[in-house]
Every structure is written in structure tokens, then in C-alpha cells.
Amino acid sequence: MGRLTDGITLDTGEMRAYYCKALINEAKKNGKIIVVDADVSHSVGTEPFYAEFPDRAFDCGIMEAQAVGMSAGMSETGLIPFFHAFGVFATRRVFDQIFLSCAYQKLNVKIVGADPGVTAASNGGTHMPFEDLGLMRLIPDCVIIEPADSAMYGAAVSYMANNYGVHYLRTSRRKTMRIYPDSAEFVIGKANMLADGKDVCIIASGIMVYEALKAADTLAELGVYARVLDMHTIKPLDIKAVTDAAKDCGAIVTAENHNVTGGLGAAVCEALAESVPVPVERVGVKESFGEVGTQDYLQKRFGLTAENIVSAAKKCISRKNK
Amino acid sequence: MDKKATMKAAADIRKLCIEELAAAGYGHIGGSMSICDILAVLYTDILDIDPKDPKKPDRDYLVLSKGHCGPALYATLAYKGYFDIEKLKTLNQGGTMLPSHCDRLKTPGIDVSTGSLGQGLSLGTGVAIGKKIQGLGGTVFVIVGDGELQEGQNWEAVQFIAHRSLSNIVLIVDNNKRQLDNYTENICKTFDYKSKFEAFGLHAFEADGHDVCDIYDKLTQAMKCGPSVVIMDTEKGHGCKFAEIPGFNHYMVISREMADEAIAEIDRRLEASYGQTD
């Protein structure tokens, strides 16, 4: 039997380029889509949208609060603004504006936060969102999507454009491991099962999906068979996939490029505590702020590697039936 | 404009607002009273709106960024026939359509929800751009308080308006010179609003915010000249006798007797002003 990671290589293109291409494709079909930036269109990759639709793209400058409030006002007139910034500034800095100007008054604004967690790398702690998922999960009805690779952008952008409400897309901007073929299908709110197994289930999102697959390969060599779920939609959580995994495997490991408080691990624990309480181990950032370094260094520094997942899986399995 | 009719509208709005707050027993009287004349001019003489079709896309918008003064706007909307005047008595009651702060999902005629100060002008810019992109007519009027201008987001929005030369939005400052805790000047010096706005690139007008003719003149001038602001010189509590005090009047407990006396005084003053107008 082949390894789960066989054939997975670094993508040939950057995530931001794929994202903008998907957005332009959607905007060609939907004249209501607007791009709003706060002086990072170059960084988050929306520049081609400005060339394609110069009248539908607004770079506000370094004023995130204005950008979000303006997006809310645009939505009031029927437009569908996509606001982009680095994840920390797209969420933490403008939480009240997203909460009250957008979500509270049930407007239709899409928030796109680039550089999740350690992918902020050399930008360091000030730019490293470990808390954005927790913040956005607190907003009633906010849909939260974190693609594992570029294959999902078409589905994610199409969902955001065609479904009303405040949505948060947490997205890397540089090259990432390409997990899926072009033909892969994604349903928002439904996890993708990338491997089936009965000993433990690893539930991951974003860059941690690849780490989960590597961990599953290592575990398989030890005779431990893991189910791997790509939980690309953090909210609404695919409760059925989570509870099925708990029933079938009896042990759950979550893996996220985020603080274990408030993020994917917390969401899974909350769901299971109220339904099928089985042992859970959460791989993720624990009570730490970000710092500078390569992504590789930072994944090791904050315990976000396949090795961390393997250790957590072993510990979790040992807790079964105790 | 018909000066007498607009003054009468302002008096009626004030009286309805006092009745409304008295029914609740308390409320944001000071800042509500300071904008009654501005609301009367807007809703009597300026806004292109239809109470029977509150959501028509090419309407003028009114964003009351100082959302805690919703009671004054609710009184105005009831006066204009957006909903039954009797509803004013439900202010702040559980399940009401009239919450303390403006809510576009609950009240016909409320265009934008506000309450977290400093956010209304940004929302207004979005509406203005949305109208422009989609070829929709109508002007967006945004009322902010002078205390509220302490919020930095306002100045982000002002820069944006000036840079984009947005001509379908008019900023109105209710310069009542007081905020919750004290006189604005004592909490955080305001310096000269007119030169501040001009430095930010807006056309700045000043008006007596309790003179309906001056309000009308400056607003109509502002609408014609591109990115603009009208700084209204107002008095917190103006027109409501028990609230026209130097002490705390941001919100007050309001008894039936206080309301009756204040309403009788509004009628007396209106009569007297008619004499002067004639």
C-alpha cells in the first residue's frame, strides 16, 4: 500500500495567485463582487483584479477600520465586498467593525486574512495570527474556511460570493503543498476524508493537513491506522464527521496552525463533549505569541509538525477506555 | 422651505421624543434634543425618501452615527409616518422595534445600525460608493457627535472621502460641545473643527444647528460642492427645559411631570418664535 504523501509536492504556483484567479473568475460571472484592500494588494495578490476590474477595486490605504466599515456600507447597497489584509489586521484589529458594522446588522461582507499562523514567518509575532479563528468563531453565523491548498479556492470563493453573510477565508499566500488534484470537490461545511482508519482520527486544517498525512504514514508503519479529515470549514463544523470519527476511532487528535484555545481543537472538543466524549489531544500553539523565523523553524518551535501529531496520537490512543 | 412649518416639525419631533423617553422613564435626552432641528430640516425639506417604500434603492440615506440618539430619529420617523406614533411608547422594552441604539433590522426607516461610536461615517462612505458604482441616485447624510470625533476611524473616513472626491455624501457634526463625562473641551481639546476638516480636504460649512433656515442653507450648499461637512453649533439638551442645564444631561430619568412641563414649554416657545418670525 502506498503512502498517503506519495505524489504530494510543493505547488508550482503561489496561493495568492490561485486565489485572485478564482476571484476574477467569479467576478466575471457576478458584477456585484468588489475588492477592498488596505495597502497590501501587492502582498495578498489582488493586483490582477485591479487590472481586470479597475472600477470594482478599492485600495483604502492603511485604514482597516474604514475598509471594513466601507465594505459593510457597500453591502447595504447590494454589492459583495471581499476585504483583504494580513490575518491579524483583517480580524483582530477590526473585530468591532466586523462584529457591529457587518455581522450584527446582517450584511454581506467577506473577510480574507492572509498569512495564517506560522506562515507569517519572517514578518514575526506582530503579523502572526494565532487567534483569528477564535475571534471569528465568536461571531454568530460567521462561516470560516481554511483551505489546505490551492485546489479549494474555486469552491471557497464561489461559496462566499453566492451565500449571504459574513465569511472569513483564512489563506496562505505563498506556495504550499499540493494535496488535492484539480478535479477535487469541496462542499463547504463537509470535511474531506483523506484516509480512513479506525485507531485514531486526525482532524486538521490548512497547512496541518499535510502534516496529518505525514503523521498517518508514520503511524501506519507502526501498525496504527489513522483516519485523516481535512476540516476546511471550521465553522459551521462538520459535526457528523467529528462524531462519526469519535464513534469509529474512539480517539481524536486535532491539528491546527493556531492557538488551541478557540480554534479547530476547541471547536472539536466542544462538539464532542456534548455528544460522543472520547479522548482528544490538541496539536497547536499553546499560550504563546508568534515570533520570526522560517516556517519550518516555527512549526518545530510551536509544535506544529507531523512528529507532534504522532506523539499526540499515541498518547490519545493510550487514553482510550481508561 | 417653509420656515414656520419646519419649526413646527422640529417642535413636534421634540415633543414626541420627550414623550417617548418619558414612557421609558429615562434615556439619552441631551444628544437627542441637540439634533431635533437638524432632523426636522432633513426630513421636511431635504431627504428624498418615501415612508411607504423605506428601502427604495435610489433614496437618500441618513446614518445616525451617534446611535444612542436613536430616540430623536425614531420620533422623526414616526412623525413622517414610517410607523405608528404609539410605537414610540415601546422604546427599550423587551422585543421592541425601537432599541436604544439604531438597528436597521428592527426599525423601518433606519438605514444603518449604529451604536459603537466612530463607525457610521465609514458605513456611509460604503453606501455612497455602492450608489456610485451601481448608478443609483441619492445622497448619504451622516450625523456624528463632536465627542464621537475623538474616534480615529472618523478621520480615516474623512481622508477617504476627500481622496475619492465623494460628492454624494455629506457629513454633519452635531457640535453640542459635550460628551458623556464632561464638556468635550475638558476631556480632550477639539481645536478648530473647520480648519481640521479643511486640512483633511473637505469643504467645511458652519451653521447654527438650532436655526432651521441656516441648517437648510448650509446643507443645500454642501450638497452642491463635493466632499463636504456642515458643523452644526448646537446645545446639548436644547429645547427641553429640564435638560438645558450645565450639569449632567447625557441621559436622565424623566418623570411624567417633567415631560408635561417640557412639552408645554416647547409650545410656548414655538408660539413666541412665530411672533418673531412674523
Side-chain angles (χ1 to χ4, degrees):
Chain A
M1 194 174 126
R3 293 163 62 87
L4 293 166
T5 48
D6 284 349
I8 296 179
T9 55
L10 193 65
D11 209 329
T12 52
E14 291 195 312
M15 290 285 269
R16 54 187 158 193
Y18 289 113
Y19 165 72
C20 191
K21 197 173 164 198
L23 192 60
I24 288 172
N25 283 342
E26 200 64 31
K28 283 178 180 165
K29 293 180 271 178
N30 187 339
K32 305 278 187 191
I33 292 176
I34 303 292
V35 157
V36 177
D37 281 299
D39 200 38
V40 284
S41 69
H42 180 78
S43 306
V44 303
T46 51
E47 278 178 330
F49 193 101
Y50 287 73
E52 188 81 27
F53 304 106
D55 299 331
R56 289 161 59 185
F58 295 84
D59 192 338
C60 292
I62 310 165
M63 40 173 81
E64 291 84 2
Q66 160 66 11
V68 172
M70 182 186 77
S71 299
M74 287 175 160
S75 155
E76 217 295 321
T77 69
L79 298 175
I80 309 170
F82 280 65
F83 164 63
H84 308 80
F86 293 143
V88 288
F89 308 127
T91 60
R92 191 176 72 214
R93 188 182 182 92
V94 285
F95 187 68
D96 193 40
Q97 283 77 14
I98 295 172
F99 198 96
L100 282 176
S101 286
C102 302
Y104 177 75
Q105 44 193 316
K106 297 215 184 313
L107 289 170
N108 190 23
V109 178
K110 316 303 168 181
I111 313 290
V112 183
D115 281 5
V118 294
T119 69
S122 60
N123 269 337
T126 55
H127 286 54
M128 197 163 285
F130 287 156
E131 63 293 315
D132 53 326
L133 294 177
L135 287 166
M136 298 305 278
R137 278 186 67 226
L138 280 171
I139 298 174
D141 299 326
C142 180
V143 174
I144 304 172
I145 302 168
E146 183 178 24
D149 73 12
S150 59
M152 193 182 175
Y153 281 134
V157 169
S158 173
Y159 178 91
M160 293 167 83
N162 293 299
N163 290 272
Y164 194 93
V166 172
H167 301 163
Y168 176 49
L169 180 67
R170 184 182 208 240
T171 177
S172 297
R173 58 186 166 117
R174 298 195 177 85
K175 288 182 182 178
T176 193
M177 300 305 285
R178 182 66 187 250
I179 312 284
Y180 291 99
D182 287 339
S183 58
E185 290 187 2
F186 299 87
V187 177
I188 302 306
K190 194 167 177 353
N192 284 10
M193 193 190 292
L194 300 180
D196 200 2
K198 298 283 186 194
D199 296 322
V200 62
C201 176
I202 307 165
I203 302 177
S205 66
I207 61 164
M208 296 306 288
V209 173
Y210 178 63
E211 298 302 318
L213 292 172
K214 278 200 288 184
D217 279 341
T218 304
L219 288 167
E221 287 167 10
L222 304 171
V224 174
Y225 296 97
R227 179 177 296 184
V228 177
L229 296 180
D230 172 8
M231 194 60 76
H232 50 70
T233 309
I234 313 291
K235 186 178 174 182
L237 190 70
D238 185 349
I239 305 269
K240 183 168 185 311
V242 172
T243 52
D244 283 353
K247 286 176 200 160
D248 294 346
C249 306
I252 304 283
V253 173
T254 60
E256 61 195 303
N257 174 22
H258 184 271
N259 197 318
V260 293
T261 302
L264 175 63
V268 167
C269 286
E270 288 160 17
L272 289 179
E274 291 176 341
S275 56
V276 190
V278 298
V280 178
E281 292 291 328
R282 292 172 295 162
V283 172
V285 179
K286 288 167 182 151
E287 291 295 324
S288 300
F289 296 102
E291 58 188 55
V292 289
T294 62
Q295 183 178 320
D296 187 49
Y297 165 82
L298 293 168
Q299 282 188 240
K300 291 187 177 77
R301 162 74 181 83
F302 291 109
L304 307 178
T305 66
E307 291 71 31
N308 297 111
I309 295 173
V310 168
S311 301
K314 288 178 184 169
K315 187 176 172 195
C316 202
I317 291 167
S318 76
R319 290 171 55 207
K320 280 196 208 182
N321 304 318
K322 275 194 180 168
Chain B
M1 74 179 295
D2 178 341
K3 183 181 178 186
K4 268 191 174 180
T6 306
M7 287 172 68
K8 170 80 165 50
D12 286 345
I13 289 166
R14 270 202 177 83
K15 290 193 288 183
L16 285 173
C17 184
I18 292 168
E19 288 282 8
E20 176 188 16
L21 292 167
Y26 65 96
H28 289 107
I29 184 79
S32 289
M33 289 298 111
S34 64
I35 57 170
C36 283
D37 299 296
I38 299 164
L39 291 174
V41 172
L42 284 168
Y43 279 85
T44 306
D45 303 303
I46 291 184
L47 294 184
D48 177 9
I49 44 162
D50 180 1
K52 299 282 177 287
D53 185 10
K55 294 280 182 194
K56 69 169 183 163
D58 61 350
R59 71 188 184 278
D60 287 336
Y61 273 65
L62 188 279
V63 178
L64 183 60
S65 190
K66 40 178 282 180
H68 57 285
C69 299
L73 184 49
Y74 304 152
T76 310
L77 294 172
Y79 171 82
K80 289 295 288 183
Y82 279 86
F83 49 85
D84 190 339
I85 280 175
E86 282 300 302
K87 291 281 186 195
L88 293 174
K89 293 180 180 161
T90 69
L91 179 76
N92 284 349
Q93 289 178 16
T96 185
M97 62 181 281
L98 303 175
S100 61
H101 298 78
C102 297
D103 189 329
R104 66 184 278 275
L105 302 173
K106 290 194 162 63
T107 316
I110 295 294
D111 290 321
V112 165
S113 304
T114 49
S116 182
L117 293 174
Q119 299 190 18
L121 188 56
S122 296
L123 280 152
T125 65
V127 174
I129 294 222
K131 280 179 171 296
K132 223 170 149 182
I133 290 177
Q134 296 172 97
L136 298 169
T139 300
V140 184
F141 295 87
V142 181
I143 302 178
V144 302
D146 59 325
E148 184 184 5
L149 284 175
Q150 289 161 0
E151 292 280 6
Q153 187 178 343
N154 287 297
W155 301 97
E156 294 184 4
V158 168
Q159 283 188 82
F160 182 89
I161 290 167
H163 178 74
R164 300 267 168 181
S165 301
L166 283 187
S167 56
N168 59 346
I169 183 166
V170 175
L171 172 60
I172 297 168
V173 179
D174 172 28
N175 185 20
N176 66 28
K177 295 165 282 290
R178 293 166 76 172
Q179 56 193 108
L180 195 153
D181 273 347
N182 204 315
Y183 284 82
T184 311
E185 202 63 18
N186 295 336
I187 298 287
C188 190
K189 280 195 198 313
T190 60
F191 300 97
D192 181 46
Y193 284 128
K194 187 164 187 291
S195 21
K196 277 166 82 172
F197 281 114
E198 284 171 345
F200 271 75
L202 297 195
H203 299 280
F205 298 86
E206 291 175 314
D208 177 341
H210 299 305
D211 176 336
V212 293
C213 291
D214 200 22
I215 295 169
Y216 178 80
D217 286 346
K218 301 296 165 49
L219 284 177
T220 47
Q221 284 180 53
M223 288 167 70
K224 288 178 199 146
C225 70
S228 57
V229 55
V230 183
I231 303 149
M232 304 284 186
D233 182 11
T234 59
E235 174 195 17
K236 195 162 180 170
H238 186 89
C240 176
K241 199 176 174 195
F242 66 80
E244 292 172 324
I245 53 171
F248 188 87
N249 69 353
H250 187 76
Y251 52 83
M252 298 175 85
V253 171
I254 301 164
S255 67
R256 187 65 256 168
E257 295 68 33
M258 289 162 75
D260 288 341
E261 201 181 313
I263 286 167
E265 175 67 13
I266 289 170
D267 285 333
R268 272 195 295 277
R269 289 186 193 177
L270 185 66
E271 280 300 314
S273 66
Y274 280 169
Q276 288 169 8
T277 306
D278 296 339

